[in-house]
Amino acid sequence: AWTLAPLGAVVGLLLWLALLSHMRATRSLPVVMRAALADDEFFLEYQPIVDLDSGRWVSAEALIRWKRPDGTLIRPDLFIPAAEDSGLIQRITERVLELVCAEAPALFARHPQFRLSINLSAADLATGLVVHRLRELTNQPGIEPHNLAVEATERGLLAVDATRRVLADIRALGIRAAIDDFGTGYSGLSYLGTFEVDSLKIDKAFIDTVGTDAPTSDVAVHIIEMAKTLRLDVVAEGIEHPEQAEFLRGRGVRYGQGWLFAKSMPMPALLAALDSAADGSAGGPVTSVE
Ligand code: C2E
Ligand code: MG
Ligand code: MG
Ligand code: MG
C-alpha cells in the first residue's frame, strides 16, 4: 500500500491546484470585469428582429461583447451571470446604455422608426435607477422613447416585487417591454400577462423543434395561442431554418430573430444594411422568407 501513497499525494495536490485555480478564476472575474469597464473592453453588437411576412428588419437587439486585450472574445453567457452574482450588472447595464447613447442617434437619424432593444437583469428591475437612466437616454437629441425597448427574462421579472412597478414606469416613458426567453420559467403566461409588457420572445429551445414532430413543438404552439389571447406580439428567437420561419408565420407569429436572417453585427454594418435596403425606412438586405 505504501507504493500508492505518493501517487495519492500527487493526485490530491493536482486536484487541490485545479480547485484553487478555479476558485481564483471565478472569484477574480468581477475584479477583472471592473478593470475591463475602466479600460473600455465592452462593446455592442446588434441582431436584427425581422417581420416574418415582409422580411424587413424592424428592430435590433443590443447584445454585449467583451474583448480582452489579447483579442479573446468572452461570451455574455459566461460573464453576465458572474456580473449578476457580484452586483456588477448595474454597471454593465449603464455601459450598455452609454454605448447605445453614443451609437444610436446616427441610426435613428436615418431610420426614425427603427427600434433598439436592451436586455435588463433582475437587479436592474429591482430599483428605479434604470428608469432614471432610460429617461436620460430618451432626453438625448436623436433618441425618442418609441426607438427603445427593454427585454426582461421571466426569471428576472419574478425575482423581486419591485419589477412590476419598474416595468410599468419604463412603459410610462413610452418605451416598450418584452419578456425574454419565454417558456424557460414555470410561471405561466396568464400570470406573466399581469405584467405590463408588449411582447414576448419565445426561447430558442422551443423554436428548435417547430415544424418537426417533437413534443416541444406543441409547447411553442400553445405559447403562441396564449400570446394571441393576451394580445401580445410574439418574437420567435433562434430561427435557423426556413421551415421554422414558414411554420411560425403560418401560426400567425409576426416577428422572428435568428441566424437564418442575420447574426449580431456592429452598428456600422447594421446601418449599411439598412441603408442599402430597398425600403430604407425599415428594411434589411435579407428578403422575405416565403
Ligand atoms: P438573449 O437575450 O436571449 O439573446 C439571444 C442569444 O441567442 C444571443 O446570444 C444571440 O446571439 C443568440 N442567437 C440569436 N439567434 C441565434 C440562432 O439562430 N442560433 C443560435 N445558436 N443562437 C442565436 P449572446 O449574444 O451570446 O447572448 C447570450 C445572452 O446573454 C442573452 O440571451 C442575454 O440573456 C445575455 N445578454 C447579452 N447581452 C446582454 C446585455 O447587454 N445585458 C444583459 N443583462 N444580458 C445580456
Ligand atoms: Mg434578449
Ligand atoms: Mg432572448
Ligand atoms: Mg434566449
Side-chain angles (χ1 to χ4, degrees):
W2 65 269
T3 49
L4 284 178
L7 184 62
V10 168
V11 169
L13 182 69
L14 283 176
L15 277 177
W16 187 80
L17 279 175
L19 190 68
L20 187 75
S21 95
H22 174 74
M23 272 165 42
R24 276 219 195 98
T26 47
R27 277 232 214 91
S28 66
L29 196 52
V31 178
V32 179
M33 265 191 278
R34 224 174 265 278
L37 276 164
D39 296 341
D40 250 341
E41 292 174 13
F42 295 95
F43 64 100
L44 292 180
E45 286 192 334
Y46 301 87
Q47 187 183 26
I49 294 172
V50 173
D51 182 313
L52 290 177
D53 271 328
S54 65
R56 295 192 306 170
W57 296 7
V58 293
S59 63
E61 175 178 8
L63 293 163
I64 197 166
R65 305 286 177 248
W66 180 9
K67 193 172 186 175
R68 300 290 294 146
D70 68 2
T72 315
L73 210 63
I74 306 180
R75 300 171 37 137
D77 283 339
L78 274 172
F79 67 83
I80 290 289
E84 287 173 339
D85 292 346
S86 64
L88 209 59
I89 189 67
Q90 281 170 288
R91 293 275 313 279
I92 300 270
T93 301
E94 294 216 355
R95 177 53 48 89
V96 169
L97 295 179
E98 283 168 15
L99 289 165
V100 166
C101 185
E103 297 181 343
L107 169 71
F108 301 142
R110 270 134 74 179
H111 307 280
Q113 296 311 314
F114 205 76
R115 190 180 302 128
L116 292 182
S117 60
I118 295 156
N119 289 287
L120 298 181
S121 293
D124 298 312
L125 296 163
T127 74
L129 190 65
V130 74
V131 182
H132 180 64
R133 290 281 177 262
L134 286 165
R135 188 186 295 111
E136 283 179 344
L137 191 59
T138 58
N139 285 339
Q140 295 297 313
I143 303 180
E144 299 296 325
H146 76 261
N147 291 132
L148 298 178
V150 297
E151 297 185 8
T153 61
E154 199 170 350
R155 196 170 53 87
L157 284 176
L158 301 176
V160 281
D161 283 344
T163 59
R164 190 181 294 276
R165 173 66 197 283
V166 171
L167 203 60
D169 288 348
I170 289 172
R171 287 193 73 254
L173 294 174
I175 294 172
R176 299 207 193 190
I179 299 176
D180 204 355
D181 297 347
F182 187 79
T184 56
Y186 303 95
S187 42
L189 190 47
S190 49
Y191 176 67
L192 283 172
T194 66
F195 285 83
E196 278 194 43
V197 293
D198 304 275
S199 60
L200 59 90
K201 303 184 76 174
I202 305 178
D203 194 71
K204 180 177 182 301
F206 303 99
I207 301 306
D208 283 343
T209 53
V210 299
T212 72
D213 301 334
T216 49
S217 155
D218 297 338
V219 178
V221 171
H222 187 65
I223 293 171
I224 294 163
E225 291 310 315
M226 284 191 79
K228 276 185 197 160
T229 310
L230 292 166
R231 298 178 195 286
L232 295 172
D233 276 337
V234 179
V235 183
E237 288 187 331
I239 301 177
E240 294 180 347
H241 308 289
E243 304 77 46
Q244 293 171 298
E246 204 46 56
F247 179 93
L248 292 161
R249 206 165 66 108
R251 293 284 174 164
V253 174
R254 182 94 194 265
Y255 304 105
Q257 195 178 18
W259 295 352
L260 172 66
F261 310 108
K263 292 193 172 182
S264 64
M265 62 191 85
M267 180 56 82
L270 178 67
L271 252 183
L274 289 172
D275 284 348
S276 69
D279 178 354
S281 68
V286 178
T287 46
S288 79
V289 293
E290 50 268 330

